[in-house]
Amino acid sequence: MGLNYYQIKKNVRRARRLVIEATNTAGSGHPGGSFSMAEILGCLFNKHLKFDPQNPQWEDRDRLVLSKGHAAPGLFSNMAVAGYFPESELSTLRKFGSKLQGHPDLKCPGVEFCGGSLGTGLSYSVGIALAAKIDSKDHHVYTIIGDGESDEGQVWEAAMTASKYKVDNLTVFLDRNFIQQDSYTEKIMPLDEKLESDDITEMWKDASRWKTGDKWRSFGWNVIEIDGHRIEQIDAAITKANTVKGMPTIIISRTIKGKSVEHMEDNPAWHGKAPDTDIIPIIFHELDSQFMISPSIIAGDMSNLENEIKRCVNGRSDLIHLDVMDGQFVSTKTFDHNKIKELRPLTVIPFDTHLMINDPVKHVKDYIDAGSDIVTVHAEVTDESSFGEIHDILKAHQVGVGFAINPGTELPEWSYKFLSTLDQLIVMSVVPGKSGQKYIEETHEKMAKLKNTLKKYAFSGYVEADGGVNLENIGSIFLDGVRVFVGGGAIVAQQDVRTAIRDFRNEILKSRRRVLLQQSHRLGLLEKWIDLHVLSEKQDQIKKIAQEEGFL
Ligand code: DX5
Ligand code: ZN
């Protein structure tokens, strides 16, 4: 079974948009804490949680307790995406008579707990988890607590109780975003080490200052620490937690308050404030412009691919691009599913398998079994019937469905009907066969033309650029609508993969900020938008781009 990576990503994005809309309509609410736990809820709702929106009281459902109840917009948005109620109902958030109040309330079917009175959700969770044991039920309890909430003594009483009674059917997420209502958690009541300055990135950089895990361990808990925005880490942590017997698990998830909207990120002001209506189009554009880096390991040492994977892991890549070449579809031969299977245990980072082979329909199952999370096949060697088969088997295994076209190939008409459910479209920008080639400039035009077709057929996946992407052209490739960037020569062939990936990200970010500045300029909101970025370093960088554009 694959990770279902792109589907989760898409639904997380959808839920974030709904949070923005709902809090804006309400004129109040909590986007910051809804966004810090967005990927956690995305993984639960789209992968792990057992539930039935048609039958919210189904006895064997898993229980999700949102103890940090102020993040209700995040919960409700996921419930809407999951089908508990129409998305349009989110416009009633915080209105009299609505079931969607500022904090979760049992009058909303599917809500398990009236959160908001902070500190009580964990006690409640221990209770229902113990009750499940007494009743010999095997459903699981997932609970989300906040770091500000952890100031409450009751959290620690519950922690002791869960450990004493070996409540192993309970998994807790600590949404460790370092910010509570008034300020940084480390200033108000340190969970890690006291923060002297105003720069919370200090806490991020230095793992030796993290003490929260030790606290929970000393209370008898199984502790897993992750980056709470990495879908694959959340997924792996949940899977691991479910295997641990005799003790409860806490997944300490390092997160960013307001994650995905730059001006909200790490800014305490967005704990409980609604975005203004005029800014929303810019926020939506930003949410739709998230991007991923997928290094191609064949650009490295082919005799030691294990090491190439490790370099990508160390470089914090989003995906790992695996170019399978069979010596027939392309003249080169690289590796097959057996190698992928060998590499799989080295990391949980999603495998983005690019099949440059003949007759992919005959082999696709092998690549699923080898542990691919996305499998891309080529238009030149598929037709409506074989691609239909490939599409269905990938979907059934929660593996992302990718389709690739060579430089000389147009999107075949038969493929249009698959576009709305396609997860990834690779538009090759070199003739496939090897890394280190030059980007074919005509690809820009091709992308511009493709845009209309993709829109017309409701493509909602990610476009991946593959071949010759480098620091010079990556900004313009982003402007073409590409959101996943393969890098062989410019990343894996470099000595320092980590720096190369960081440079890729910075270039894309610059290009994205430029687009958002242009948009805010068009809307007459330039200064307002710039001023929203209160963290000085960010604002300075944005101002610099605005100056380059001649806006300031
Ligand atoms: C080409 C492959 C690419 C290639 C990328 O056939 O599909 O993934 O290795 O390498 P660069 O970025 O060097 O073109
Ligand atoms: Zn490739």
Side-chain angles (χ1 to χ4, degrees), residues 63 65 106 112-114 119-129 141 143 154 158:
R63 271 58 167 178
V65 173
L106 292 185
E112 299 286 349
F113 174 70
C114 294
T120 58
L122 187 53
S123 305
Y124 179 82
S125 305
V126 172
I128 57 173
V141 181
T143 300
Q154 190 176 338

Side-chain angles (χ1 to χ4, degrees), residues 423-450:
D423 296 300
Q424 171 165 285
L425 175 67
I426 299 188
V427 182
M428 292 300 302
S429 36
V430 297
V431 176
K434 59 175 193 266
S435 88
Q437 305 182 70
K438 206 176 142 347
Y439 180 86
I440 299 172
E441 289 301 321
E442 286 75 37
T443 318
H444 290 303
E445 274 160 54
K446 188 174 181 178
M447 279 296 309
K449 275 197 234 141
L450 261 175

Side-chain angles (χ1 to χ4, degrees), residues 260-271:
S260 286
V261 179
E262 274 207 78
H263 71 259
M264 294 184 172
E265 287 183 0
D266 278 343
N267 179 354
W270 290 100
H271 171 88

Side-chain angles (χ1 to χ4, degrees), residues 294 296 298 321-325 352-356 376 378 426 428 430 432-433 464-467 486:
S294 189
S296 161
I298 62 160
H321 190 79
L322 301 166
D323 289 304
V324 177
M325 303 186 189
D352 171 24
T353 302
H354 179 188
L355 294 183
M356 283 160 279
T376 299
H378 267 260
I426 299 188
M428 292 300 302
V430 297
E464 180 170 63
D466 189 1
V486 175

Side-chain angles (χ1 to χ4, degrees), residues 295-302 305 308-309 312 320-323 335 343 487-488 492:
S296 161
I297 58 169
I298 62 160
D301 177 2
M302 286 293 286
L305 290 176
E308 298 305 339
I309 297 278
C312 297
I320 296 178
H321 190 79
L322 301 166
D323 289 304
F335 46 78
L343 299 173
V492 176

Side-chain angles (χ1 to χ4, degrees), residues 56-82:
Q57 291 306 317
W58 173 42
E59 229 189 299
D60 293 332
R61 73 192 184 279
D62 289 335
R63 271 58 167 178
L64 172 64
V65 173
L66 180 65
S67 187
K68 42 166 274 179
H70 52 277
L75 174 66
F76 296 153
S77 299
N78 273 281
M79 289 177 73
V81 172

